[in-house]
Amino acid sequence: MSDTNSLDALIQALRRLPGVGMKSAQRIAFHLLQHDRPAAQQLSQALAQACAQVRHCQRCYTFTEGEVCATCMDATRDASRLCVVETPADQAAMERTAAFRGLYFVLMGRLSPLDGVGPRDIGVQKLLERAGDGVVQEVILATSFTAEGEATAHAIAEALRRRGMHVTRLARGVPVGSELEYVDLGTIAHALADRR
Amino acid sequence: MSDTNSLDALIQALRRLPGVGMKSAQRIAFHLLQHDRPAAQQLSQALAQACAQVRHCQRCYTFTEGEVCATCMDATRDASRLCVVETPADQAAMERTAAFRGLYFVLMGRLSPLDGVGPRDIGVQKLLERAGDGVVQEVILATSFTAEGEATAHAIAEALRRRGMHVTRLARGVPVGSELEYVDLGTIAHALADRR
Ligand SMILES: [Zn+2]
Ligand SMILES: [Zn+2]
């Protein structure tokens, strides 16, 4: 209908969200406009605010609002160990184990040749620079134990070892085929202790 | 983390969307901020625009940006027949059959006592006023053939008949237990022809 341009535009914008199809977009738009306009306005502002404020940490590449994130600025952490994860959610899972007190590097993705995601599309080059700061003694690869996560770990390990870095990988206690953020804490903690 | 307030606020706002849990909210926020900030900005603007522009048609109660929607203003339609549907999506499904040339009333919901949705929460009173305009000769109830949709149709039919209106219901050719917007066009068209 020609007199519902704003509604149509909202449905189209919702469809760009991952996992939201046409029916879901219609239902979300109906719910927001009919039952919860405060939620719509809250989301509108949160999106604009996040786009304006959220950037990448200059040291670990995760999302932050400052130049350097709080974890990287924490002087009590062991700067000689650098744990490489795919996403902030994976970092949060690792943190919940309380088994690691070093620092992180967040790739913000993983290699996925079939989807056209190569080393330049994730933070591999930034990782090589970060790991070469002269303080890092060990890089612990905690990418997912999926085919893509393993390929990512393999590529990073090769590049780091060529530079003489000591590289380890979480032990295979992590169930093969699973994504780190869904793994129970004990399994992650054991895998960290058994890293090879 | 204390330096990701904007990100945390975005995740909380996304969680208020129907069908979006914590993991989905995190994944959507990550996707938007890492891969598609234009989509985030488009959605932010579409939400604000829709909240500002979209209101209810004064005649049929559906979403519109004017006082009266395009369908209600269409002088070529048969104003003696009024079809009552639950949602704009249901109206759109009815329109796609091309079997109905009358006007609509959109309840924007249905009775749901268990959820605390009573006649005042949907547009029943507005419907009674609309149907009593002296032009409407027949009210066709096209609410869903679910328990809640049937209860809604029953309550509306009683109220309209008390006012001397001629009330019909889509024939039960519509599969019981289904929602109108998912029904195939031919079934809807037959149910319309067999209304009782
Ligand atoms: Zn950092
Ligand atoms: Zn209207």
Side-chain angles (χ1 to χ4, degrees), chain A:
Chain A
M1 281 178 286
S2 59
D3 60 342
T4 56
N5 288 332
S6 298
L7 177 59
D8 296 340
L10 175 57
I11 291 169
Q12 293 309 315
L14 286 166
R15 285 189 67 183
R16 289 181 69 173
L17 299 180
V20 176
M22 186 63 186
K23 288 287 176 196
S24 296
Q26 286 177 338
R27 282 171 185 275
I28 292 169
F30 179 85
H31 172 81
L32 290 174
L33 291 173
Q34 183 66 17
H35 299 298
D36 204 352
R37 292 196 184 207
Q41 271 149 348
Q42 178 187 343
L43 179 56
S44 173
Q45 288 160 16
L47 286 161
Q49 179 80 4
C51 285
Q53 297 294 328
V54 176
R55 53 181 137 173
H56 291 285
C57 173
Q58 293 192 348
R59 299 204 81 206
C60 75
Y61 202 46
T62 195
F63 290 136
T64 182
E65 293 181 34
E67 296 283 310
V68 176
C69 77
T71 305
C72 286
M73 287 204 291
D74 182 350
T76 70
R77 301 193 70 116
D78 177 2
S80 71
R81 290 197 171 80
L82 190 69
C83 180
V84 178
V85 292
E86 293 174 3
T87 67
D90 290 338
Q91 177 182 349
M94 183 68 77
E95 282 292 283
R96 283 196 295 275
T97 70
F100 180 69
R101 288 296 302 160
L103 294 172
Y104 290 91
F105 189 89
V106 186
L107 294 167
M108 303 302 262
R110 57 185 168 196
L111 296 180
S112 180
L114 292 179
D115 299 323
V117 180
R120 285 190 194 85
D121 301 301
I122 60 177
V124 173
Q125 187 55 42
K126 290 188 185 68
L127 167 59
L128 298 181
E129 291 165 16
R130 171 70 185 84
D133 70 349
V135 177
V136 173
Q137 299 298 312
E138 176 185 5
V139 177
I140 302 165
L141 300 179
T143 55
S144 295
F145 281 70
T146 59
E148 292 177 349
E150 293 278 24
T152 304
H154 183 74
I156 291 170
E158 292 232 318
L160 287 168
R161 287 186 180 124
R162 272 199 300 272
R163 285 163 173 76
M165 296 295 304
H166 176 46
V167 181
T168 59
R169 176 86 167 110
L170 288 195
R172 281 186 180 272
V174 175
V176 172
S178 63
E179 304 203 344
L180 203 66
E181 66 172 297
Y182 297 106
V183 176
D184 69 277
L185 308 188
T187 303
I188 296 179
H190 275 108
L192 182 70
D194 294 346
R195 66 183 182 270
R196 52 187 171 75

Side-chain angles (χ1 to χ4, degrees), chain B residues 144-147 150 169 171-180 183 187 196:
Chain B
S144 294
F145 280 71
T146 59
E150 293 278 23
R169 176 85 166 110
R172 281 187 181 273
V174 176
V176 171
S178 64
E179 305 203 343
L180 201 66
V183 174
T187 302
R196 53 189 170 72

Side-chain angles (χ1 to χ4, degrees), chain B:
Chain B
M1 280 176 285
S2 59
D3 61 341
T4 55
N5 288 333
S6 298
L7 177 59
D8 296 341
L10 175 57
I11 291 169
Q12 292 309 315
L14 286 166
R15 286 189 67 184
R16 289 183 67 175
L17 298 180
V20 175
M22 187 62 185
K23 288 288 175 197
S24 296
Q26 287 177 338
R27 282 171 186 276
I28 291 170
F30 179 85
H31 173 80
L32 290 174
L33 291 173
Q34 183 68 18
H35 299 297
D36 204 352
R37 292 195 184 209
Q41 270 149 347
Q42 179 186 345
L43 180 55
S44 173
Q45 288 160 15
L47 286 162
Q49 179 80 2
C51 285
Q53 297 295 327
V54 176
R55 53 182 139 173
H56 292 285
C57 173
Q58 293 192 348
R59 298 203 81 205
C60 76
Y61 201 46
T62 195
F63 290 135
T64 182
E65 292 181 35
E67 296 283 311
V68 175
C69 77
T71 305
C72 286
M73 287 203 291
D74 183 350
T76 71
R77 303 192 69 116
D78 177 2
S80 70
R81 289 199 172 78
L82 190 68
C83 180
V84 178
V85 293
E86 294 175 1
T87 66
D90 290 339
Q91 177 181 350
M94 183 68 79
E95 283 293 282
R96 284 195 296 274
T97 71
F100 180 70
R101 287 297 301 162
L103 294 172
Y104 290 91
F105 189 88
V106 186
L107 293 167
M108 303 303 261
R110 58 185 168 194
L111 296 179
S112 180
L114 293 178
D115 299 323
V117 180
R120 285 189 196 86
D121 301 301
I122 59 177
V124 174
Q125 186 57 42
K126 290 189 186 67
L127 167 60
L128 298 181
E129 292 164 16
R130 172 70 183 86
D133 71 347
V135 178
V136 173
Q137 299 299 310
E138 176 186 5
V139 177
I140 302 166
L141 301 178
T143 55
S144 294
F145 280 71
T146 59
E148 292 177 348
E150 293 278 23
T152 304
H154 183 76
I156 291 171
E158 292 231 317
L160 287 168
R161 287 186 180 125
R162 275 199 298 273
R163 285 163 173 76
M165 296 295 303
H166 176 46
V167 181
T168 58
R169 176 85 166 110
L170 288 196
R172 281 187 181 273
V174 176
V176 171
S178 64
E179 305 203 343
L180 201 66
E181 69 172 285
Y182 297 106
V183 174
D184 69 275
L185 308 187
T187 302
I188 296 179
H190 274 108
L192 182 70
D194 293 347
R195 66 185 182 270
R196 53 189 170 72

